[in-house]
Structures are given as structure tokens and as C-alpha cells.
């Protein structure tokens, strides 16, 4: 649930928004003018604002400027009609989260709102570094006491208050994004925006305009001006995730930004000075990418000056019990349950298991274990189930010492719970995908072929089961 503020002088629009968002489970406040909107933000900062650009009294643009004074990290979505897009673009240049053209469709605005809320929270909800116990479970936290993690905490402390570019490296699921947020939150720019751009999630052609913007007529379809994220984040921090996958053409522009602190919009002639701090992350072997001509050497040297490397979980097994306690306490709280704790047997199993998806996979496994749990401390049996292991012996009904698939299904069906089909299929699917990745050494293209799935389908399943593992560093084909 999020706190949303709607600012519009149209009574009907406010009402329909209120109904729509309440049905989505959000808490909605409304304001009928820019002035009232500013007062509402001053009273309590919401998670996001949706505001009309043209209102009687002060305009949305002026109201946005005043809200930004109160809280620069507040995501504001500007609503605009065709005639007033220039003003909306002006607002994004000042840092507004995004704008949306009226009439908009409902799924579109809901999606945008979700993104805005998540962006605002990732800025404002603190990442606790190296704390334990109750304090940690209440927030996002970086957990771990091993020497490599302690080195990391020191590195965060040293680098955060400087404006240095930071490169965060490590396998999938080791906490790179958490570290990026921690660096930002401990920096002198902590009260300014933090924008995240995932370089693999956005197609090459869009990535360039997303980052740097464009002028009207820059290419077919560029019917107006667009302000890039870098410009939008002026005075703040930009997190370039999966930078190892950034196309070469864009790497050149990024290098220039790092060297000269300015950008040029696509099709534009104007050099626009910007003041942004860059934090980048990758799970790729950048040295290899440089050798193969996929990553610019000059950019690599520029980025790696301050590098933070996250250890994979297998190199710090001593931290697993700490992480288990953290996740159990955190997820139990989120599910409104009491923290069940774990038996020694369960803890030993979790510590001995292999975690190709690192901390993310461990966390997801514990979340599942809590869902299966019938109360009482987590047992080895519940861990086994959450790991999907009982489905291992598919061939013989008597099993090979482990429980056969048929037995497992029979037991679940006798458990008295309902609606089991999806859950059982998921557990089976999880196991199949995990095995396929193991069999191919994490090569997702090969695994997709083996299973007869398209690559995007496979990746969606990997995400769903929390199995993302390091694969991009390998040559796929
Ligand atoms: N040391 C840690 N302590 C507590 N939680 C952690 C830790 N490391 C990672 N997590 C949790 O694991 C999940 C994955 O972390 P994160 O997204 O930061 O990983 P990542 O390295 O960016 O992964 P990817 O390369 O797949 O994007 C998140 O839910 C995060 O909160
Ligand atoms: Mg990440």
C-alpha cells in the first residue's frame, strides 16, 4: 500500500482516481489546487504525487517546484494534454519523475505509479549497513560479519561522501543494488534524487534516448523533446545497473559525461552541463569484455578507480546463519507472523546448500519455507521442501533414498491444503530450471534450447523462482 496524492482542479477526475487507487489498496489524498497540493506535501510527504499541469491558481509546474523544495526525492507524475506537453517536459527537466498524456489508460498510469512509488522508496527507505537484530529486520539491511563484508562496509564509508564514480562488482544476487543504495544514502547527495537505469532491460535504441534525451525530429517518431535521465537527475546520483551490457556506442557518450560533465541530447547541438554522480554495477567479467572488444578500455579504467566487490555466498558460509535469522524475522514480520526461528538441523542444511543465486536465492527459499511452515521453528523437512529437493527422483516410484515425486505429491494432497496445482507445478518447474542451469554451467541460451523455451521465457522463470545466476559473463550462443 502506498500513500498517493492527487492534485487536480477537476472534481470528477479526483474522484475517479480516488476510487481507482483505493481499489488497488492505496491510501489516497486529494487536493484541488497547486497551493493545496503543496500544503498537503508539507503536512505529510506521500509516496508519489499525480498532478495536473494546468490548474486555476498556480500551475502544476510552479507547484512541482515548491514540492521539490520540500522533498527533492518525491516522485511527481505530471498529467498533461497535447497542448501543454512543453510544460510537462520542463517539469521533467527540473526533476519530475515522468509525465503522462491525457487521456491515459488505467493500466498505464497504475504501472507508472508503481514504478514511481518503488523509485521513491528506494531513495528514502534506508539501507542499514552491518547492523543486526531488530534494527536490521525493520529495514533493508546489508548483513554479514565475514572479513570480506567488513572490508566492504569500510569501503562504503570511505567512498560514499566523495563524489567518486563507484563500480560495484559481484555475481548475481550478491547485493550490488543494495550497496549502490547504501553509497547514495551515505553520500552528500542523499537528499537529492537517485535514478536507476538497467542497461540490459532497455533495448539499445531506447537506452540512448532514455539516458541522454532527444530533440524534436532527432529521428523518425521523435515528435517532441525528451529530457534524458542523466539531465533529470541533475545534482543527484544515477545508478547504471548491468553496465557490462551497455552497447559500445553509448559507452562513448558515458565516457564523455564522466570526463566533461555534460550531455548532448540526440539531434541536439546544445551542450548541457550536468552534475551527477555515477554508480555502476555489473556481474560481467569486464576485463574479458575489454579483451573481446565489447567494452571500452578507457571507460573501464575510468570506472574501476573505486571498485567494491561483493563476495559470493559460498565464500562466506559463516554469514549464512545471520542471513537466515535476518530473513526469517523480516519476512515473518511482513507476513504478520511471529518469527519462527530455525532448528539446528534446518540451519545446518541451509549452510551446506549451494546457492548459485546467492543471497537472493537464500532469501526466496526462506520466504517459501515460511509459506509452507505450519508454525514452530523451521525444520529440515520444511527447508527441503522450500529447496524443491523432494521432487528430485522422478524415475523410480520407490525413490533412491529420497522421497519420490509421487510420494511428495500424495503427501501434499493429503495435507488438507487447497489450490495445490500451481504450487506443485511451480516446485517442479523450479527444479527443472535449476537442473538445466546446472547442466549448462549457467548458460541461459543453452538451457533455453535444452528445454525448448524461448530465452525471454526462461529468464522470466529464472526471475520467478529467484534463480538468477551468473550467466552473462560466459559466452552465450
Ligand atoms: N548482504 C545482504 N544482506 C541482506 N540482504 C541482502 C544482502 N545481499 C543481498 N540481499 C538481498 O538479496 C536480494 C538481491 O540483492 P540485489 O538486488 O542487491 O543483488 P544484485 O547483486 O544487484 O543482483 P543482480 O545481479 O541479480 O541484479 C535483495 O532482496 C537484497 O535485499
Ligand atoms: Mg541488481
Amino acid at each position: 500500500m502506498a500513500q498517493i496524492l492527487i492534485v487536480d482542479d477537476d472534481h470528477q477526475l479526483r474522484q475517479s482516481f480516488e476510487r481507482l487507487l483505493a481499489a488497488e489498496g492505496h491510501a489516497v489524498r486529494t487536493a484541488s489546487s497547486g497551493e493545496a497540493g503543496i500544503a498537503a506535501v508539507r503536512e505529510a510527504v506521500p509516496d508519489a504525487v499525480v498532478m495536473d499541469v494546468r490548474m486555476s491558481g498556480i500551475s502544476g509546474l510552479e507547484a512541482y517546484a515548491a514540492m521539490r523544495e520540500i522533498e527533492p526525492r518525491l516522485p511527481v507524475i505530471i498529467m498533461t494534454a497535447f497542448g501543454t506537453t512543453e510544460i510537462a517536459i520542463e517539469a521533467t527537466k527540473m526533476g519530475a519523475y515522468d509525465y503522462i498524456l491525457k487521456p491515459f489508460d488505467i493500466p498505464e498510469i497504475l504501472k507508472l505509479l508503481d514504478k514511481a512509488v518503488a523509485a521513491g522508496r528506494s531513495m528514502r527507505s534506508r539501507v542499514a549497513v552491518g547492523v543486526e537484530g531488530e534494527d536490521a529486520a525493520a529495514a533493508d539491511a546489508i548483513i554479514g560479519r565475514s572479513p570480506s563484508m567488513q572490508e566492504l562496509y569500510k569501503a562504503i564509508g570511505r567512498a560514499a561522501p566523495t563524489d567518486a564514480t563507484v563500480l560495484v562488482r559481484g555475481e548475481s544476487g550478491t547485493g550490488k543494488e543494495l550497496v549502490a543504495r547504501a553509497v547514495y544514502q551515505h553520500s552528500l547527495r542523499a537528499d537529492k534524487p537517485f535514478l536507476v537505469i538497467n542497461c540490459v532491460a532497455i533495448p539499445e535504441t531506447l537506452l540512448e534516448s532514455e539516458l541522454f534525451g532527444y530533440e524534436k525530429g532527432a529521428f523518425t517518431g521523435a515528435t517532441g523533446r525528451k529530457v534524458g535521465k542523466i539531465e533529470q537527475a541533475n545534482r543527484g546520483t544515477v545508478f547504471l545497473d548491468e553496465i557490462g551490457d551497455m552497447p559500445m556506442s553509448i559507452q562513448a557518450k558515458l565516457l564523455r559525461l564522466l570526463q566533461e560533465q555534460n550531455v548532448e541530447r540526440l539531434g541536439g547541438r546544445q551542450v548541457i552541463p550536468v552534475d551527477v554522480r555515477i554508480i555502476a554495477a555489473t556481474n560481467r567479467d569486464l576485463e574479458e569484455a575489454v579483451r573481446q572488444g565489447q567494452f571500452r578500455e578507457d571507460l573501464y579504467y575510468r570506472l574501476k578507480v573505486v571498485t567494491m566487490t561483493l563476495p559470493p555466498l559460498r565464500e562466506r558460509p559463516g554469514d549464512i546463519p545471520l542471513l537466515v535469522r535476518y530473513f526469517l524475522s523480516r519476512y515473518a514480520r511482513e507476513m504478520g507472523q511471529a518469527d519462527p526461528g530455525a532448528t539446528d538441523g534446518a540451519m545446518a542444511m541451509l549452510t551446506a546448500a549451494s546457492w548459485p543465486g546467492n543471497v537472493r536465492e537464500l532469501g526466496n527459499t526462506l520466504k517459501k519455507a515460511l509459506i509452507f511452515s505450519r508454525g514452530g521453528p523451521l525444520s529440515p523437512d520444511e527447508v527441503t521442501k522450500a529447496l524443491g529437493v523432494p521432487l528430485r527422483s522422478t524415475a523410480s516410484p520407490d525413490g533412491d533414498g529420497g522421497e519420490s515425486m509421487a510420494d511428495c505429491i500424495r503427501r501434499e494432497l493429503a495435507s488438507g491444503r487447497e489450490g495445490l496445482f500451481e504450487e506443485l507445478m511451480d516446485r517442479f518447474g523450479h527444479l527443472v530450471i535449476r537442473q538445466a542451469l546446472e547442466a549448462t554451467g549457467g548458460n541461459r541460451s543453452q538451457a533455453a534450447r535444452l528445454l525448448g523455451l524461448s530465452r525471454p521465457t526462461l529468464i522470466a522463470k529464472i526471475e520467478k523462482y529467484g534463480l538468477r545466476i551468473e550467466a552473462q559473463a560466459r559466452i552465450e550462443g
Side-chain angles (χ1 to χ4, degrees):
M1 183 189 85
Q3 316 274 340
I4 315 276
L5 173 66
I6 307 294
V7 187
D8 199 313
D9 55 1
D10 176 347
H11 170 72
Q12 226 168 1
L13 194 133
R14 284 199 308 273
Q15 243 186 3
S16 29
F17 251 121
E18 215 169 348
R19 246 180 269 132
L20 171 71
L21 296 179
E24 291 285 311
H26 297 306
V28 191
R29 284 187 295 159
T30 59
S32 57
S33 68
E35 289 88 341
I38 299 164
V41 170
R42 193 168 285 128
E43 193 184 291
V45 176
D47 289 312
V49 176
V50 183
M51 178 158 63
D52 195 8
V53 72
R54 179 173 281 168
M55 294 178 285
S56 47
I58 64 166
S59 71
L61 191 65
E62 286 168 273
Y64 169 67
M67 288 175 185
R68 196 189 51 170
E69 286 295 309
I70 302 169
E71 174 51 275
R73 300 167 300 179
L74 170 64
V76 176
I77 297 171
I78 304 284
M79 291 183 282
T80 181
F82 263 112
T84 51
T85 44
E86 264 310 306
I87 308 174
I89 293 167
E90 210 49 44
T92 51
K93 212 162 108 188
M94 289 164 59
Y97 184 76
D98 209 339
Y99 67 86
I100 185 159
L101 275 179
K102 283 194 213 176
F104 39 75
D105 67 68
I106 290 173
E108 189 188 358
I109 184 94
L110 288 179
K111 210 167 118 198
L112 191 58
L113 253 177
D114 278 347
K115 274 171 60 184
V117 166
R121 286 193 175 157
S122 89
M123 292 183 227
R124 284 180 291 146
S125 115
R126 297 286 290 182
V127 176
V129 178
V131 299
E132 284 167 27
E134 278 301 295
D135 290 349
D140 283 330
I142 307 182
I143 305 288
R145 256 187 238 161
S146 56
S148 52
M149 291 304 281
Q150 291 185 28
E151 276 309 309
L152 176 78
Y153 305 151
K154 282 187 222 154
I156 294 174
R158 272 195 305 268
T162 72
D163 255 346
T165 302
V166 174
L167 176 64
V168 190
R169 303 185 69 167
E171 291 178 14
S172 218
T174 47
K176 295 185 293 298
E177 183 155 0
L178 271 187
V179 168
R181 276 173 62 203
V183 169
Y184 153 70
Q185 290 176 354
H186 290 85
S187 76
L188 303 171
R189 298 169 182 252
D191 60 350
K192 300 287 185 306
F194 173 74
L195 291 187
V196 182
I197 309 279
N198 187 317
C199 303
V200 264
I202 305 172
E204 178 167 354
T205 46
L206 290 183
L207 181 60
E208 187 167 2
S209 57
E210 189 74 12
L211 285 171
F212 300 101
Y214 53 76
E215 292 296 340
K216 184 172 178 172
F219 48 85
T220 342
T223 51
R225 183 147 56 97
K226 181 183 159 78
V227 176
K229 291 283 180 207
I230 306 268
E231 210 181 322
Q232 202 180 343
N234 199 14
R235 303 180 53 213
T237 306
V238 172
F239 175 41
L240 297 174
D241 203 357
E242 319 261 15
I243 196 165
D245 294 273
M246 179 181 267
M248 290 290 261
S249 60
I250 306 179
Q251 289 175 28
K253 287 197 134 183
L254 176 62
L255 182 67
R256 171 172 160 186
L257 167 69
L258 292 174
Q259 285 171 338
E260 296 167 29
Q261 278 93 48
N262 60 50
V263 292
E264 255 173 66
R265 299 191 192 121
L266 255 85
R269 295 224 180 80
Q270 196 192 349
V271 173
I272 303 160
V274 285
D275 167 21
V276 291
R277 181 194 203 169
I278 301 289
I279 304 176
T282 185
N283 59 9
R284 280 193 71 169
D285 180 348
L286 283 186
E287 294 73 16
E288 182 59 26
V290 168
R291 273 194 295 278
Q292 293 192 356
Q294 294 165 352
F295 203 84
R296 289 181 70 112
E297 191 166 15
D298 44 10
L299 179 59
Y300 164 71
Y301 281 112
R302 184 107 205 167
L303 285 175
K304 74 167 202 163
V305 179
V306 180
T307 298
M308 299 185 188
T309 305
L310 282 155
L313 207 45
R314 65 182 166 279
E315 283 173 17
R316 51 180 191 113
D319 283 342
I320 291 180
L322 289 180
L323 282 160
V324 171
R325 279 192 285 274
Y326 162 71
F327 281 125
L328 287 178
S329 143
R330 174 177 184 162
Y331 292 146
R333 179 194 302 240
E334 283 173 16
M335 293 177 196
Q337 293 168 218
D339 177 358
T343 60
D344 291 348
M347 203 57 111
M349 261 181 100
L350 289 162
T351 310
S354 78
W355 301 105
N358 291 297
V359 185
R360 177 186 287 113
E361 190 183 5
L362 176 62
N364 286 341
T365 303
L366 291 166
K367 196 182 264 179
K368 263 186 273 171
L370 277 181
I371 295 169
F372 296 145
S373 159
R374 309 215 170 84
L378 205 64
S379 66
D381 194 41
E382 283 158 339
V383 172
T384 310
K385 262 208 240 172
L387 281 167
V389 179
L391 297 177
R392 138 182 111 238
S393 48
T394 50
S396 88
D398 301 328
D400 50 6
E403 187 183 25
S404 78
M405 195 166 89
D407 281 345
C408 171
I409 295 169
R410 228 174 277 131
R411 185 165 49 79
E412 284 303 325
L413 293 175
S415 71
R417 286 188 304 135
E418 289 178 357
L420 281 167
F421 185 75
E422 288 300 326
E423 183 187 312
L424 287 169
M425 292 311 274
D426 270 353
R427 283 168 63 188
F428 191 50
H430 178 169
L431 190 70
V432 171
I433 304 281
R434 207 167 187 276
Q435 293 300 329
L437 286 171
E438 260 183 57
T440 57
N443 184 322
R444 290 183 279 200
S445 301
Q446 222 177 313
R449 264 200 308 275
L450 199 63
L451 296 172
L453 295 174
S454 72
R455 219 168 155 273
T457 307
L458 176 74
I459 288 169
K461 291 194 188 297
I462 291 174
E463 294 271 341
K464 179 174 177 193
Y465 302 138
L467 277 172
R468 279 212 282 169
I469 69 165
E470 175 139 33
Q472 275 148 12
R474 299 167 214 268
I475 306 157
E476 299 189 33

